[in-house]
Amino acid sequence: MKPENKNFFQKVYEVAQLIPYGRVTSYGAIAKYLGAARSARMVGWAMNGSHSMEDVPAHRVVNKAGLLTGKHHFDGTNLMQQLLESEGIEVIDHQIQNLEKHFWDPFKELPAD
DNA sequence: CCTGTGACATAAG
DNA sequence: CCTTATGCCACAG
């Protein structure tokens, strides 16, 4: 029984916190980085608990298409979009523009270890 | 141990 | 564009 499993949520939070300003990533990318590529849903679910964490920029986590699928969990209807736009990310119709440009790949940015 | 669940991903109609 | 369906997996009860 490896401790990594138990730290799954924790890792999700850590990676989310590591997302730099003005950058975004996908649930799948995080999940894959955590070693559970098929647990992308778990990542989102973990974000459910992110509200307990102050430094978890859940708004910087979107789906693979760059759609703000998780915006429903935010207070308003366009809060998430506003947050992203506030960081210099162009968002149209709940979809991030130039996603590749703003995309933050944990594999690429974080040490492979 | 079993069941429900979920902010995904992918495919099909 | 939309909805429906399946897989997938970790966690909560």
Side-chain angles (χ1 to χ4, degrees):
Chain A
M1 200 57 163
K2 291 175 175 152
E4 288 83 53
N5 295 336
K6 178 173 177 289
N7 291 329
F8 190 88
F9 271 45
Q10 185 61 50
K11 287 204 170 190
V12 174
Y13 300 138
E14 285 184 39
V15 177
Q17 291 168 356
L18 288 171
I19 302 175
Y21 180 94
R23 298 279 182 138
V24 293
T25 191
S26 68
Y27 302 96
I30 295 175
K32 190 175 179 182
Y33 180 75
L34 299 182
R38 281 84 179 197
S39 304
R41 321 169 75 169
M42 270 280 58
V43 177
W45 195 10
M47 302 315 289
N48 270 325
S50 71
H51 56 88
S52 296
M53 316 279 293
E54 299 177 18
D55 299 318
V56 180
H59 64 273
R60 293 188 188 144
V61 184
V62 297
N63 74 343
K64 208 173 187 188
L67 275 174
L68 314 189
T69 54
K71 82 192 316 292
H72 290 280
H73 295 266
F74 283 76
D75 188 19
T77 54
N78 58 342
L79 174 61
M80 187 173 183
Q81 177 173 333
Q82 288 180 30
L83 287 169
L84 291 171
E85 291 184 326
S86 179
E87 300 192 359
I89 299 176
E90 185 179 16
V91 180
I92 299 177
D93 191 24
H94 309 163
Q95 185 173 333
I96 295 177
Q97 307 302 304
N98 304 316
L99 178 62
E100 297 178 24
K101 204 169 176 168
H102 298 295
F103 194 78
W104 178 82
D105 189 343
F107 286 101
K108 200 158 115 178
E109 307 297 336
L110 296 179
D113 186 27

